[in-house]
Amino acid sequence: MNKHMLTGVLLGTIIATAGGAYAIRSASPQSAAIVSVTPITIGMEQQFATITQVEPLVTPGAPTLANIISSKPIVVAGQVREVCEERTVTHQAPSKDENQIAGTAAGAVIGGLLGNQVGGGNGKKAATALGAIAGGLIGKSAQAQHQQQQTYQTVEQVCNNVREPDQTTGYEVTVNVEGQHQTITASYLPKQPLPVVNGEIITDINKVKAIKANMPPPMYEVTYSLGDKLGMSTLAKAPEVGTEIPFEFGQLLTTPEQLANLKARENTVIAYNVMYQSDAGIGNVRMTQHPTGDTLQLKRGEPVIP
């Protein structure tokens, strides 16, 4: 073996050894510090489907239904009638002395006599005159009060016009029968679709109850969107277009039992979002089990999930 060949062999051996050592070091586990661990619950990842279309399903043999569009009461104005009753009426008794002359005169005499007993000479005359004037006024007032208290009563018939309350005799109802609008009258206010039998819209409440009791429950074909996908389902109740309904296990959850079960499980932890710090920077990984330590093992820069 010449000198040049020996040198090449030695260099090749050195390079191969160094490369192998690097490969072994790169393939060996490394660690990353765990920054945070956040539980992921069923409720956090719950999917919701949006209702885009609702169509009633026609059950063979079932009567057509007239859907209620609007309604208004039929009102008959109350009649006006005369109502009479007997009432006791108090009257002022007529007076023969409307100007209270007798009271004035009597008061003046008494007042004059009292005034005459005061003073003497011209003073007595003045007192007599003033007493007569004051006595006359007092006598007039006393007689007036006495006259006002003199009353008598009579029984009289008093009549008034009274309007009776308006009466609602029924309802004018507009319905939709297979796309055609019709107006009917009903004795009550219907709030549910009315059955149509042989072209006749049934409004009698007892007949309506009997027909509906024998009808199969209504079903509705519902179209919904879930992300960028469309799906269809059959439901017993018609949701409004635009309603968001929980979606799980390939179906819409609408029954009370399904919704109660979902509510009971919404806080159940199904995974963990683990944030870690490695030489390459911050990373996240989803793990089904809570990490047991403060670090994650890495292999070729990726977390090793147990």
Side-chain angles (χ1 to χ4, degrees):
M1 182 179 295
N2 59 34
K3 182 178 180 181
H4 293 290
M5 183 178 294
L6 180 60
T7 301
V9 171
L10 290 174
L11 287 174
T13 302
I14 293 172
I15 293 173
T17 302
Y22 176 78
I24 293 172
R25 183 169 59 85
S26 298
S28 62
Q30 299 176 3
S31 63
I34 294 176
V35 177
S36 64
V37 179
T38 304
I40 301 173
T41 64
I42 290 178
M44 294 169 62
E45 295 193 340
Q46 179 62 56
Q47 291 182 299
F48 289 87
T50 302
I51 304 302
T52 58
Q53 186 176 352
V54 179
E55 293 290 341
L57 291 176
V58 178
T59 304
T64 304
L65 293 178
N67 294 309
I68 309 298
I69 298 176
S70 63
S71 61
K72 62 179 180 180
I74 301 172
V75 179
V76 176
Q79 296 181 349
V80 178
R81 60 187 179 89
E82 186 180 55
V83 177
C84 298
E85 61 178 349
E86 291 185 345
R87 294 181 183 176
T88 300
V89 181
T90 300
H91 304 274
Q92 182 74 42
S95 175
K96 296 179 180 180
D97 186 6
E98 295 182 355
N99 295 319
Q100 296 86 38
I101 295 175
T104 302
V109 171
I110 296 173
L113 291 174
L114 293 174
N116 188 55
Q117 297 177 10
V118 178
N122 292 331
K124 181 184 289 291
K125 293 179 180 180
T128 300
L130 291 174
I133 294 172
L137 294 175
I138 294 172
K140 180 179 178 66
S141 176
Q143 184 179 356
Q145 291 181 1
H146 177 73
Q147 289 174 343
Q148 289 177 357
Q149 295 174 357
Q150 301 304 305
T151 61
Y152 68 97
Q153 293 180 330
T154 61
V155 177
E156 299 179 2
Q157 188 179 58
V158 180
C159 297
N160 294 299
N161 289 330
V162 178
R163 179 176 175 175
E164 296 179 344
D166 295 343
Q167 298 291 326
T168 299
T169 59
Y171 293 87
E172 187 177 277
V173 184
T174 302
V175 297
N176 182 352
V177 183
E178 297 182 337
Q180 300 295 321
H181 289 190
Q182 299 183 36
T183 300
I184 60 174
T185 57
S187 60
Y188 66 101
L189 179 60
K191 297 183 179 181
Q192 300 294 329
L194 298 171
V196 181
V197 179
N198 298 326
E200 178 187 359
I201 301 174
I202 307 301
T203 59
D204 182 271
I205 190 167
N206 293 321
K207 292 182 179 180
V208 171
K209 289 181 178 179
I211 292 172
K212 288 190 173 183
N214 295 319
M215 289 176 58
M219 300 297 291
Y220 301 88
E221 187 175 69
V222 176
T223 303
Y224 59 86
S225 63
L226 186 67
D228 57 353
K229 298 180 180 180
L230 293 177
M232 298 183 70
S233 182
T234 301
L235 301 179
K237 292 185 178 181
E240 294 185 4
V241 172
T243 302
E244 292 188 342
I245 296 179
F247 187 88
E248 190 177 48
F249 306 128
Q251 64 176 337
L252 298 172
L253 306 183
T254 59
T255 67
E257 294 78 10
Q258 290 173 327
L259 295 175
N261 179 269
L262 178 63
K263 181 69 176 178
R265 296 184 294 109
E266 66 179 357
N267 293 323
T268 301
V269 177
I270 56 176
Y272 299 89
N273 180 54
V274 181
M275 180 183 294
Y276 61 88
Q277 173 74 55
S278 68
D279 294 340
I282 295 291
N284 288 278
V285 64
R286 181 188 178 101
M287 301 180 65
T288 57
Q289 295 181 355
H290 195 289
T292 56
D294 297 331
T295 60
L296 290 177
Q297 286 190 334
L298 303 179
K299 187 174 183 180
R300 294 188 177 89
E302 297 296 329
V304 177
I305 300 176

